Protein backbone atom coordinates (compact mmCIF):
# COMPACT_ATOMS: atom_id res chain seq x y z
CA UNK A 1 0.00 0.00 0.00
CA UNK A 2 1.37 3.43 -0.96
CA UNK A 3 1.49 6.36 1.45
CA UNK A 4 -1.37 8.00 -0.48
CA UNK A 5 -3.49 4.84 -0.35
CA UNK A 6 -2.72 4.56 3.37
CA UNK A 7 -3.78 8.20 3.99
CA UNK A 8 -6.94 7.76 1.93
CA UNK A 9 -7.82 4.59 3.84
CA UNK A 10 -7.17 6.34 7.18
CA UNK A 11 -9.33 9.32 6.10
CA UNK A 12 -12.14 7.01 5.04
CA UNK A 13 -11.99 5.00 8.28
CA UNK A 14 -11.72 8.01 10.59
CA UNK A 15 -14.12 10.16 8.61
CA UNK A 16 -11.58 12.99 8.82
CA UNK A 17 -11.11 14.16 5.30
CA UNK A 18 -8.49 16.90 5.01
CA UNK A 19 -7.53 19.29 2.26
CA UNK A 20 -4.12 17.64 2.02
CA UNK A 21 -5.69 14.24 1.39
CA UNK A 22 -8.14 15.67 -1.14
CA UNK A 23 -5.40 17.51 -3.05
CA UNK A 24 -3.27 14.35 -3.01
CA UNK A 25 -6.17 12.50 -4.65
CA UNK A 26 -6.40 15.23 -7.27
CA UNK A 27 -2.66 15.13 -7.98
CA UNK A 28 -3.00 11.43 -8.80
CA UNK A 29 -5.92 11.97 -11.19
CA UNK A 30 -5.41 12.45 -14.94
CA UNK A 31 -6.67 16.04 -15.04
CA UNK A 32 -6.16 17.56 -18.50
CA UNK A 33 -3.95 20.59 -19.00
CA UNK A 34 -5.85 23.88 -18.72
CA UNK A 35 -8.40 22.60 -16.22
CA UNK A 36 -8.61 24.64 -13.03
CA UNK A 37 -9.22 22.64 -9.85
CA UNK A 38 -10.08 23.87 -6.37
CA UNK A 39 -11.96 22.75 -3.29
CA UNK A 40 -14.79 24.92 -1.99
CA UNK A 41 -16.65 23.79 1.10
CA UNK A 42 -15.38 20.24 0.66
CA UNK A 43 -16.58 20.04 -2.95
CA UNK A 44 -14.17 19.66 -5.85
CA UNK A 45 -14.71 22.03 -8.75
CA UNK A 46 -13.03 21.61 -12.13
CA UNK A 47 -13.46 24.07 -14.94
CA UNK A 48 -11.62 24.80 -18.18
CA UNK A 49 -9.93 28.16 -18.43
CA UNK A 50 -11.35 30.14 -21.32
CA UNK A 51 -9.39 32.72 -23.27
CA UNK A 52 -11.60 35.53 -21.93
CA UNK A 53 -10.89 34.34 -18.40
CA UNK A 54 -7.13 34.24 -18.98
CA UNK A 55 -7.03 37.66 -20.70
CA UNK A 56 -8.56 39.34 -17.65
CA UNK A 57 -6.29 37.44 -15.23
CA UNK A 58 -3.24 38.42 -17.30
CA UNK A 59 -4.18 42.10 -17.25
CA UNK A 60 -4.71 42.10 -13.47
CA UNK A 61 -1.40 40.30 -12.87
CA UNK A 62 0.42 42.69 -15.19
CA UNK A 63 -1.00 45.73 -13.35
CA UNK A 64 0.09 44.28 -9.99
CA UNK A 65 3.57 43.46 -11.31
CA UNK A 66 3.91 46.97 -12.76
CA UNK A 67 3.09 48.37 -9.31
CA UNK A 68 4.94 45.91 -7.03
CA UNK A 69 7.66 44.48 -9.28
CA UNK A 70 8.43 41.01 -10.54
CA UNK A 71 9.63 39.82 -7.12
CA UNK A 72 6.26 40.42 -5.44
CA UNK A 73 4.33 37.32 -4.44
CA UNK A 74 1.55 37.37 -7.02
CA UNK A 75 -0.01 34.03 -7.92
CA UNK A 76 -2.63 32.56 -10.20
CA UNK A 77 -4.27 29.19 -9.47
CA UNK A 78 -2.01 28.43 -6.49
CA UNK A 79 -3.53 26.68 -3.47
CA UNK A 80 -4.24 28.77 -0.40
CA UNK A 81 -6.35 27.33 2.43
CA UNK A 82 -9.03 29.68 3.72
CA UNK A 83 -11.29 29.61 6.81
CA UNK A 84 -14.32 27.37 6.69
CA UNK A 85 -14.92 23.68 6.03
CA UNK A 86 -12.37 22.28 3.53
CA UNK A 87 -11.70 25.51 1.64
CA UNK A 88 -8.61 24.95 -0.51
CA UNK A 89 -9.00 27.79 -2.98
CA UNK A 90 -6.83 28.47 -6.01
CA UNK A 91 -7.68 32.14 -6.66
CA UNK A 92 -7.41 33.47 -10.20
CA UNK A 93 -5.10 36.15 -8.76
CA UNK A 94 -3.74 36.48 -5.23
CA UNK A 95 -1.24 39.03 -3.97
CA UNK A 96 0.52 38.28 -0.71
CA UNK A 97 2.05 40.84 1.61
CA UNK A 98 5.76 41.50 1.52
CA UNK A 99 7.61 38.99 3.70
CA UNK A 100 4.92 36.29 3.38
CA UNK A 101 6.24 32.81 4.19
CA UNK A 102 4.86 29.34 3.65
CA UNK A 103 3.52 27.38 6.61
CA UNK A 104 5.55 24.45 8.01
CA UNK A 105 3.34 22.21 5.80
CA UNK A 106 4.53 24.13 2.72
CA UNK A 107 1.37 26.16 2.00
CA UNK A 108 0.87 29.88 1.56
CA UNK A 109 -1.22 31.29 4.41
CA UNK A 110 -4.47 33.21 4.07
CA UNK A 111 -3.33 35.66 6.76
CA UNK A 112 -0.81 37.01 4.23
CA UNK A 113 -3.29 37.62 1.39
CA UNK A 114 -3.81 41.32 0.65
CA UNK A 115 -5.74 41.08 -2.60
CA UNK A 116 -7.76 38.47 -4.47
CA UNK A 117 -9.30 38.69 -7.93
CA UNK A 118 -11.70 36.11 -9.32
CA UNK A 119 -12.92 36.07 -12.91
CA UNK A 120 -16.41 34.65 -13.18
CA UNK A 121 -17.03 31.35 -14.96
CA UNK A 122 -20.62 30.26 -15.51
CA UNK A 123 -20.23 26.99 -13.62
CA UNK A 124 -18.56 28.44 -10.52
CA UNK A 125 -20.05 31.97 -10.26
CA UNK A 126 -22.08 31.06 -7.17
CA UNK A 127 -18.83 30.15 -5.38
CA UNK A 128 -17.16 33.47 -6.20
CA UNK A 129 -20.16 35.56 -5.16
CA UNK A 130 -21.06 33.32 -2.19
CA UNK A 131 -18.85 30.87 -0.28
CA UNK A 132 -15.54 32.28 -1.48
CA UNK A 133 -16.56 35.88 -0.82
CA UNK A 134 -17.57 34.89 2.73
CA UNK A 135 -14.29 33.02 3.28
CA UNK A 136 -12.20 35.92 1.94
CA UNK A 137 -14.02 38.31 4.28
CA UNK A 138 -13.61 35.95 7.24
CA UNK A 139 -9.88 35.73 6.40
CA UNK A 140 -9.84 39.56 6.40
CA UNK A 141 -8.57 39.85 2.83
CA UNK A 142 -8.63 43.66 2.49
CA UNK A 143 -9.57 43.80 -1.22
CA UNK A 144 -11.60 41.28 -3.21
CA UNK A 145 -12.24 42.01 -6.89
CA UNK A 146 -14.68 40.06 -9.03
CA UNK A 147 -14.43 40.62 -12.78
CA UNK A 148 -17.61 39.36 -14.41
CA UNK A 149 -17.29 39.10 -18.22
CA UNK A 150 -20.97 38.08 -18.53
CA UNK A 151 -22.18 41.27 -16.82
CA UNK A 152 -19.27 43.33 -18.19
CA UNK A 153 -18.75 44.62 -14.67
CA UNK A 154 -16.28 44.62 -11.79
CA UNK A 155 -17.38 44.20 -8.18
CA UNK A 156 -14.90 45.55 -5.63
CA UNK A 157 -15.31 44.46 -2.02
CA UNK A 158 -13.44 46.19 0.82
CA UNK A 159 -13.67 46.53 4.60
CA UNK A 160 -14.10 42.88 5.60
CA UNK A 161 -16.30 42.29 8.64
CA UNK A 162 -17.03 38.77 9.90
CA UNK A 163 -18.02 36.79 6.81
CA UNK A 164 -18.96 39.71 4.54
CA UNK A 165 -17.61 42.99 3.22
CA UNK A 166 -19.00 46.31 4.42
CA UNK A 167 -18.31 48.08 1.12
CA UNK A 168 -19.15 46.99 -2.43
CA UNK A 169 -18.49 49.10 -5.51
CA UNK A 170 -19.73 48.12 -8.98
CA UNK A 171 -18.14 49.51 -12.13
CA UNK A 172 -18.73 48.60 -15.77
CA UNK A 173 -15.82 47.34 -17.86
CA UNK A 174 -14.19 50.38 -19.43
CA UNK A 175 -14.09 52.43 -16.24
CA UNK A 176 -10.98 52.58 -14.06
CA UNK A 177 -11.08 50.66 -10.78
CA UNK A 178 -9.60 53.04 -8.22
CA UNK A 179 -7.79 51.02 -5.56
CA UNK A 180 -5.43 53.85 -4.56
CA UNK A 181 -6.92 54.07 -1.05
CA UNK A 182 -6.39 50.34 -0.39
CA UNK A 183 -3.33 48.18 0.32
CA UNK A 184 -3.09 47.62 -3.44
CA UNK A 185 -2.59 51.35 -4.08
CA UNK A 186 -3.21 51.34 -7.84
CA UNK A 187 -5.74 52.18 -10.50
CA UNK A 188 -6.76 49.19 -12.61
CA UNK A 189 -7.69 49.95 -16.19
CA UNK A 190 -10.53 47.72 -17.48
CA UNK A 191 -10.88 49.19 -20.96
CA UNK A 192 -9.49 46.04 -22.59
CA UNK A 193 -11.29 43.51 -20.37
CA UNK A 194 -13.06 41.16 -22.80
CA UNK A 195 -16.70 40.14 -22.39
CA UNK A 196 -18.47 36.82 -22.83
Amino acid sequence: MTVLEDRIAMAEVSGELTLDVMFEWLEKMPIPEGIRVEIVGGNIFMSPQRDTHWEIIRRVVRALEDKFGMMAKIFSDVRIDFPGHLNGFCPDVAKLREGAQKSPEGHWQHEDVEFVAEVISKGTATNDYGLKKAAYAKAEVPVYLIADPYQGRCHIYTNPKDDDYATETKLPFGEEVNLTNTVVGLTLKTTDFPRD
Side-chain angles (χ1 to χ4, degrees):
M1 184 178 280
T2 67
V3 172
L4 175 60
E5 291 168 333
D6 186 44
R7 289 181 81 180
I8 292 169
M10 286 177 15
E12 289 173 350
V13 169
S14 69
E16 291 186 37
L17 198 56
T18 67
L19 285 170
D20 286 335
V21 169
M22 292 179 78
F23 275 107
E24 284 182 36
W25 291 345
L26 291 168
E27 288 174 7
K28 301 296 181 191
M29 292 176 64
I31 298 170
E33 186 93 14
I35 300 294
R36 180 175 184 233
V37 180
E38 65 183 345
I39 301 169
V40 180
N43 297 301
I44 297 169
F45 290 88
M46 296 184 195
S47 57
Q49 189 172 85
R50 301 170 341 277
D51 56 346
T52 300
H53 197 94
W54 172 241
E55 285 296 319
I56 294 172
I57 292 169
R58 190 171 60 85
R59 284 172 171 77
V60 173
V61 168
R62 186 172 286 164
L64 290 169
E65 287 178 344
D66 287 349
K67 169 73 177 175
F68 295 101
M70 296 296 290
M71 299 305 291
K73 290 183 174 41
I74 302 165
F75 300 110
S76 179
D77 290 337
V78 172
R79 174 186 170 185
I80 302 171
D81 298 346
F82 283 89
H85 177 68
L86 297 176
N87 284 329
F89 302 162
C90 300
D92 287 327
V93 181
K95 186 213 174 283
L96 277 55
R97 68 173 177 80
E98 188 176 329
Q101 304 256 332
K102 288 185 176 182
S103 69
E105 297 78 31
H107 304 299
W108 294 107
Q109 301 173 81
H110 67 81
E111 294 89 351
D112 292 327
V113 178
E114 292 183 324
F115 170 83
V116 168
E118 296 285 7
V119 180
I120 295 299
S121 296
K122 281 186 180 178
T124 58
T126 55
N127 289 339
D128 295 331
Y129 284 112
L131 289 173
K132 289 173 79 173
K133 180 179 146 209
Y136 292 146
K138 190 172 200 107
E140 298 183 354
V141 173
V143 182
Y144 176 36
L145 169 75
I146 293 178
D148 192 328
Y150 302 100
Q151 295 178 0
R153 180 183 305 166
C154 287
H155 299 256
I156 305 96
Y157 300 96
T158 56
N159 303 313
K161 178 119 173 93
D162 301 321
D163 62 352
D164 203 358
Y165 283 89
T167 307
E168 176 185 9
T169 306
K170 298 177 191 177
L171 294 169
F173 284 7
E175 290 192 22
E176 292 184 344
V177 176
N178 184 349
L179 302 173
T180 55
N181 293 327
T182 71
V183 295
V184 183
L186 61 79
T187 299
L188 179 65
K189 296 181 187 333
T190 66
T191 307
D192 295 328
F193 279 17
R195 294 182 63 147
D196 271 337

